């Protein structure tokens, strides 16, 4: 049986060229709140085995998912800011993230005030493709001496390398939907029991 996100992807997702899945109608532009709320509960159900005290994400599309997840844990969200914002200050952890999809590198920053060695962190994001954003966040967590407890991804593109990379580093990765392939406008999900 499909979960709420998988159903939304199959009903409303649109395959664009270059293996890009457009989910603007419920995730990346317009946000379906009951769906995101359910996704937050699904992440909570999986990751509640850990004592998580902070949910970390990257602006912009990860924030809504992170908020509903954090609400279940009763903890705050910290989101990495992109670019060199003056209002983040100099007192930041930073990493460079190359976006394969967008063809550019951005810097992501988290203020040292909001991440430290006491933190047990769940990283949540909307998409996992090559894992560049995840690597950047892992680098920031390393700089802060916080502990990464797990990675929760809404949509993993199973045909790109990010998922395998995280799993092979021993990271507890949980993706709500894994796209096996996209072909001639059709979306093929990886069957859950095979995950
Ligand atoms: P990676 O971090 O896993 O390596 O992914 P990649 O560089 O390919 O992704 C860069 C941006 O493109 C990310 O958004 C990611 O969420 C988004 N993205 C990747 N694949 C898809 C896709 O198939 N569909 C959609 N809709 N987005 C995709 P971002 O730059 O962080 O932007 P945003 O969070 O501000 O939206």
């Amino acid at each position: 049986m499909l979960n709420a996100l998988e159903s939304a992807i199959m009903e409303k997702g649109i395959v664009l060229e270059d293996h890009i899945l457009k989910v603007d109608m419920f995730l990346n532009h317009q946000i379906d709140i009951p769906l995101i709320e359910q996704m937050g509960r699904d992440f909570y159900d999986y990751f509640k085995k850990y004592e998580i005290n902070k949910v970390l994400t990257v602006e912009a599309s990860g924030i809504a998912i992170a908020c509903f997840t954090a609400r279940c844990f009763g903890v705050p969200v910290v989101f990495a800011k992109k670019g060199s914002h003056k209002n983040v200050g100099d007192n930041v952890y930073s990493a460079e993230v190359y976006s394969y999809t967008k063809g550019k590198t951005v810097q992501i920053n988290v203020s040292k005030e909001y991440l430290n060695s006491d933190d047990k962190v769940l990283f949540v994001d909307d998409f996992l493709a090559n894992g560049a954003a995840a690597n950047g966040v892992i680098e920031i967590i390393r700089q802060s001496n916080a502990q990464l407890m797990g990675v929760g991804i809404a949509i993993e593109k199973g045909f790109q390398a990010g998922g395998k990379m995280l799993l092979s580093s021993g990271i507890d990765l949980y993706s709500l939907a894994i796209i096996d392939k996209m072909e001639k406008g059709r979306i093929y999900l990886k069957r859950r029991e095979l995950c």
Side-chain angles (χ1 to χ4, degrees):
M1 201 177 108
L2 300 185
N3 67 28
L5 176 61
E6 289 173 324
S7 300
I9 290 169
M10 295 313 285
E11 282 166 29
K12 301 175 193 157
I14 297 168
V15 180
L16 298 183
E17 276 175 62
D18 286 340
H19 296 257
I20 298 289
L21 177 66
K22 192 173 164 78
V23 287
D24 277 11
M25 55 304 283
F26 56 89
L27 200 62
N28 283 157
H29 197 7
Q30 172 170 265
I31 299 177
D32 179 334
I33 297 301
L35 172 62
I36 303 281
E37 202 170 9
Q38 181 59 49
M39 289 161 58
R41 280 195 294 267
D42 291 345
F43 282 136
Y44 176 75
D45 284 343
Y46 183 81
F47 288 111
K48 66 185 178 202
K49 57 190 172 183
Y50 301 122
E51 268 182 45
I52 281 156
N53 75 325
K54 211 158 268 183
V55 176
L56 186 59
T57 190
V58 182
E59 68 174 346
S61 304
I63 295 175
I65 305 165
C67 286
F68 280 100
T69 307
R71 186 80 180 94
C72 296
F73 281 98
V75 303
V77 169
V78 174
F79 63 91
K81 294 193 174 191
K82 288 179 181 160
S84 39
H85 294 269
K86 284 209 179 83
N87 56 355
V88 177
D90 292 332
N91 207 17
V92 293
Y93 308 112
S94 310
E96 300 277 309
V97 172
Y98 175 72
S99 166
Y100 166 82
T101 305
K102 296 185 176 169
K104 60 177 188 185
T105 299
V106 291
Q107 193 181 317
I108 59 168
N109 306 293
V110 172
S111 168
K112 290 184 181 172
E113 262 184 82
Y114 304 124
L115 203 59
N116 61 55
S117 56
D118 294 334
D119 288 326
K120 293 184 175 9
V121 175
L122 173 63
F123 168 54
V124 165
D125 211 353
D126 58 339
F127 274 93
L128 175 65
N130 287 313
N135 272 335
V137 167
I138 289 166
E139 169 57 20
I140 281 177
I141 291 172
R142 190 196 61 73
Q143 290 170 25
S144 72
N145 288 317
Q147 208 180 331
L148 176 65
M149 308 308 290
V151 175
I153 296 293
I155 306 174
E156 177 184 336
K157 292 159 84 181
F159 52 88
Q160 290 185 248
K164 281 199 185 78
M165 182 215 35
L166 295 180
L167 290 171
S168 68
S169 327
I171 288 170
D172 193 351
L173 168 68
Y174 180 62
S175 303
L176 298 181
I178 303 179
I179 309 291
D180 202 15
K181 61 178 178 177
M182 294 189 276
E183 227 171 56
K184 294 180 184 155
R186 277 197 66 181
I187 302 161
Y188 296 84
L189 293 174
K190 193 162 187 174
R191 283 181 36 216
R192 217 127 266 288
E193 53 273 27
L194 300 178
C195 298

